[in-house]
Amino acid sequence: MRLNHLHFFARALKSMERVEGIEPSYAAWKAAVLPLNYTRHQRRESYRPNLPCQSAVANLRAVNSLLLSGGRVLDPANHLDTLADVLILNGKIAAVGNDAAAQAPSDIEKLDANGLVVCPGLIDLHVHLREPGQTLKENISTGTAAAARGGFTSLVCMPNTSPSIDNAGTVALIHERAAREGAVNLFVAGAITKGIAGEELAPIGGLKRAGVVAITDDGHCVQNNELMRRACEYAKMFDLPVMDHCQDYSLVTSGVMHEGRWSTSLGLQGWPSAGEEMIVARNILLAELTGASVHCQHLSAAGSVALIREAKKRGVPVSGEACPHHFTLTDAAIAGSEKFWAEDGKQVFSLQSSVGELPVWPAYDTNFKMNPPLRSARDREAILEGLVDGTIEILCSDHAPHCGFEKEVEFDYAPFGITGLEVELALSLMQLYHTKRLGLADVITKFTVAPARLLKLAKGTLSVGADADVTVFDPDRDWSFERETTASKSFNNPFYGWPLKGKAVATIVKGRKVWVEQEAVACV
Ligand SMILES: [Zn+2]
């Protein structure tokens, strides 16, 4: 009789595991099966649930302590800007200051950060890692490797995958893959609507329970204002920010570049600034109506900045982000390098006067096609002003990998988007810090404290006890980004061969070095 009960329990656990995807604990399974005779036990070993890979765990333990010595420690969260050592023990920040080295075990690994900036690990809250379903373009392993090279320790991946991230199961799949294959921390944004179709709300409560840090239909934009209002109400209830790709479809129709002088002379259909500004205005009204935190993604137009600036003055819970391509390039880039450097590129050119040759590209180069599009020099200036006065709090890449065969078509038919994780720090430093628009701490704030605050992440600080996510970079390093060196699976980037200034040289995640440029940093 007792044996029958045990048989039943073992069978029930087994079917839970197989049919419903529930994994019973190995201890519970073993307790049920062990009293049975030996052969039966052996047979059931084949149903043993997957256990974590022991060698991976051992690896983590071996390398998660480090002493970063002599760097300029810049931690905006603690208003710290000083020459100091940073001691990392067991994956956590253990001490910051001149006495940190004295507290270190004698055999600790050291990293000489003299002449370098040591700051909290950078966060990029807007990347497309293309997993699941589009792994020919990118996957979690290659995308997070590119992040590590760019100095990023945490990413938020967008849900416009295939299938889209609109349910708890897909969130769990990404968390599991990220734990196994990710070089850096990966947080997930869930969809606002089912299938990102803009018609029916996704299960926002279920997504929150599954661990998403925000909701967005990025790549698409919810056009139905009532549906967006409900999304805001649910998001507020579940304490999630709503991130929005601002694009009014009726105004934009099939526009492929900024509507203006260049779209006219190039004969390409225009994507007017009003197409973005209309939705930014809608989002401000809905944030005010519902009290939800609404975040406008990849702002490109001067009018959007003005709207957000005014709304913030009234205390509306709205925020914005900007990508380096929008505040570095303009729509003249689509007319070819000659036109760009002669006109709107001057600003970038003057900064690089001491550096060698500038790159050349033809008109209609699809690596200058992104959504929202590159806009006028006036819009670029407005984005920079918004970053300077704090209207735009967050910097990010909108890393959007595409295969070569997809981009190597006529401009009209190419997909929107470029990769960006490996150059965004340099471009941000060039346009904001090296031009003296912002101090170094202000630029770092937009990559650390600000995104952590919006998403309520316990990241973006070097406080004692925090996860030891640290970026070490050289703000003055001259270098150029080359196709051969990218860690991304895709090559759709317009900045190859550009003279860049500022580079990450070591990226540390929970005390583990996930990227170190050997020539720049001496490890003792
Ligand atoms: Zn987008």
PDB file of all heavy atoms in Angstrom, residues 126 128 218-220 245 297-298 371-372 398, ligand 1:
ATOM      1  N   HIS A 126      17.862  50.293 -23.847  1.00  0.00           N
ATOM      2  CA  HIS A 126      17.149  50.148 -25.123  1.00  0.00           C
ATOM      3  C   HIS A 126      18.012  49.394 -26.127  1.00  0.00           C
ATOM      4  O   HIS A 126      18.752  49.992 -26.903  1.00  0.00           O
ATOM      5  CB  HIS A 126      16.781  51.543 -25.659  1.00  0.00           C
ATOM      6  CG  HIS A 126      15.837  51.488 -26.825  1.00  0.00           C
ATOM      7  ND1 HIS A 126      14.987  52.518 -27.130  1.00  0.00           N
ATOM      8  CD2 HIS A 126      15.607  50.529 -27.751  1.00  0.00           C
ATOM      9  CE1 HIS A 126      14.273  52.188 -28.201  1.00  0.00           C
ATOM     10  NE2 HIS A 126      14.645  50.993 -28.601  1.00  0.00           N
ATOM     11  N   HIS A 128      18.086  45.766 -28.869  1.00  0.00           N
ATOM     12  CA  HIS A 128      17.372  44.656 -29.508  1.00  0.00           C
ATOM     13  C   HIS A 128      18.355  43.492 -29.625  1.00  0.00           C
ATOM     14  O   HIS A 128      19.328  43.588 -30.372  1.00  0.00           O
ATOM     15  CB  HIS A 128      16.885  45.078 -30.903  1.00  0.00           C
ATOM     16  CG  HIS A 128      15.917  46.225 -30.854  1.00  0.00           C
ATOM     17  ND1 HIS A 128      14.557  46.042 -30.795  1.00  0.00           N
ATOM     18  CD2 HIS A 128      16.110  47.566 -30.836  1.00  0.00           C
ATOM     19  CE1 HIS A 128      13.950  47.227 -30.744  1.00  0.00           C
ATOM     20  NE2 HIS A 128      14.884  48.161 -30.764  1.00  0.00           N
ATOM     21  N   ASP A 218       8.024  48.792 -28.514  1.00  0.00           N
ATOM     22  CA  ASP A 218       9.063  49.424 -29.343  1.00  0.00           C
ATOM     23  C   ASP A 218       9.224  48.759 -30.712  1.00  0.00           C
ATOM     24  O   ASP A 218       9.173  47.535 -30.846  1.00  0.00           O
ATOM     25  CB  ASP A 218      10.409  49.428 -28.623  1.00  0.00           C
ATOM     26  CG  ASP A 218      11.442  50.153 -29.452  1.00  0.00           C
ATOM     27  OD1 ASP A 218      11.175  51.281 -29.866  1.00  0.00           O
ATOM     28  OD2 ASP A 218      12.501  49.559 -29.731  1.00  0.00           O
ATOM     29  N   GLY A 219       9.487  49.601 -31.677  1.00  0.00           N
ATOM     30  CA  GLY A 219       9.485  49.156 -33.079  1.00  0.00           C
ATOM     31  C   GLY A 219       8.125  49.482 -33.659  1.00  0.00           C
ATOM     32  O   GLY A 219       7.979  49.742 -34.842  1.00  0.00           O
ATOM     33  N   HIS A 220       7.138  49.482 -32.767  1.00  0.00           N
ATOM     34  CA  HIS A 220       5.773  49.869 -33.115  1.00  0.00           C
ATOM     35  C   HIS A 220       5.285  50.851 -32.066  1.00  0.00           C
ATOM     36  O   HIS A 220       5.941  51.066 -31.052  1.00  0.00           O
ATOM     37  CB  HIS A 220       4.861  48.635 -33.163  1.00  0.00           C
ATOM     38  CG  HIS A 220       5.266  47.659 -34.211  1.00  0.00           C
ATOM     39  ND1 HIS A 220       4.748  47.662 -35.477  1.00  0.00           N
ATOM     40  CD2 HIS A 220       6.190  46.675 -34.181  1.00  0.00           C
ATOM     41  CE1 HIS A 220       5.315  46.717 -36.192  1.00  0.00           C
ATOM     42  NE2 HIS A 220       6.205  46.091 -35.430  1.00  0.00           N
ATOM     43  N   HIS A 245       7.757  54.115 -28.230  1.00  0.00           N
ATOM     44  CA  HIS A 245       8.346  54.500 -29.516  1.00  0.00           C
ATOM     45  C   HIS A 245       7.313  55.431 -30.160  1.00  0.00           C
ATOM     46  O   HIS A 245       6.241  54.974 -30.564  1.00  0.00           O
ATOM     47  CB  HIS A 245       8.575  53.218 -30.329  1.00  0.00           C
ATOM     48  CG  HIS A 245       8.857  53.418 -31.777  1.00  0.00           C
ATOM     49  ND1 HIS A 245       9.999  52.962 -32.371  1.00  0.00           N
ATOM     50  CD2 HIS A 245       8.130  54.000 -32.763  1.00  0.00           C
ATOM     51  CE1 HIS A 245       9.977  53.259 -33.662  1.00  0.00           C
ATOM     52  NE2 HIS A 245       8.849  53.886 -33.924  1.00  0.00           N
ATOM     53  N   GLN A 297      10.901  57.128 -26.020  1.00  0.00           N
ATOM     54  CA  GLN A 297      12.148  56.512 -26.472  1.00  0.00           C
ATOM     55  C   GLN A 297      12.770  57.287 -27.643  1.00  0.00           C
ATOM     56  O   GLN A 297      12.083  57.981 -28.382  1.00  0.00           O
ATOM     57  CB  GLN A 297      11.866  55.059 -26.878  1.00  0.00           C
ATOM     58  CG  GLN A 297      11.401  54.214 -25.692  1.00  0.00           C
ATOM     59  CD  GLN A 297      11.039  52.790 -26.094  1.00  0.00           C
ATOM     60  OE1 GLN A 297      10.034  52.547 -26.728  1.00  0.00           O
ATOM     61  NE2 GLN A 297      11.862  51.827 -25.707  1.00  0.00           N
ATOM     62  N   HIS A 298      14.073  57.101 -27.790  1.00  0.00           N
ATOM     63  CA  HIS A 298      14.882  57.655 -28.884  1.00  0.00           C
ATOM     64  C   HIS A 298      14.328  58.934 -29.503  1.00  0.00           C
ATOM     65  O   HIS A 298      13.930  58.950 -30.669  1.00  0.00           O
ATOM     66  CB  HIS A 298      15.153  56.614 -29.970  1.00  0.00           C
ATOM     67  CG  HIS A 298      13.989  55.735 -30.369  1.00  0.00           C
ATOM     68  ND1 HIS A 298      12.741  56.236 -30.590  1.00  0.00           N
ATOM     69  CD2 HIS A 298      13.915  54.405 -30.597  1.00  0.00           C
ATOM     70  CE1 HIS A 298      11.948  55.243 -30.931  1.00  0.00           C
ATOM     71  NE2 HIS A 298      12.636  54.128 -30.938  1.00  0.00           N
ATOM     72  N   ASN A 371      14.852  54.430 -37.313  1.00  0.00           N
ATOM     73  CA  ASN A 371      13.503  54.882 -36.991  1.00  0.00           C
ATOM     74  C   ASN A 371      13.417  55.238 -35.506  1.00  0.00           C
ATOM     75  O   ASN A 371      13.597  54.361 -34.675  1.00  0.00           O
ATOM     76  CB  ASN A 371      12.510  53.761 -37.312  1.00  0.00           C
ATOM     77  CG  ASN A 371      11.087  54.246 -37.276  1.00  0.00           C
ATOM     78  OD1 ASN A 371      10.831  55.438 -37.199  1.00  0.00           O
ATOM     79  ND2 ASN A 371      10.147  53.315 -37.303  1.00  0.00           N
ATOM     80  N   PRO A 372      13.152  56.490 -35.136  1.00  0.00           N
ATOM     81  CA  PRO A 372      12.938  57.643 -35.993  1.00  0.00           C
ATOM     82  C   PRO A 372      14.205  58.005 -36.767  1.00  0.00           C
ATOM     83  O   PRO A 372      15.305  57.609 -36.380  1.00  0.00           O
ATOM     84  CB  PRO A 372      12.549  58.749 -35.009  1.00  0.00           C
ATOM     85  CG  PRO A 372      13.150  58.332 -33.713  1.00  0.00           C
ATOM     86  CD  PRO A 372      13.079  56.845 -33.705  1.00  0.00           C
ATOM     87  N   ASP A 398      19.694  52.088 -28.762  1.00  0.00           N
ATOM     88  CA  ASP A 398      18.739  51.489 -29.702  1.00  0.00           C
ATOM     89  C   ASP A 398      19.496  50.534 -30.636  1.00  0.00           C
ATOM     90  O   ASP A 398      19.269  50.514 -31.850  1.00  0.00           O
ATOM     91  CB  ASP A 398      17.978  52.555 -30.498  1.00  0.00           C
ATOM     92  CG  ASP A 398      16.821  51.956 -31.297  1.00  0.00           C
ATOM     93  OD1 ASP A 398      16.495  50.779 -31.078  1.00  0.00           O
ATOM     94  OD2 ASP A 398      16.261  52.665 -32.159  1.00  0.00           O
TER      95      ASP A 398
HETATM   96 ZN    ZN B   1      11.993  52.226 -31.472  1.00  0.00          ZN
END
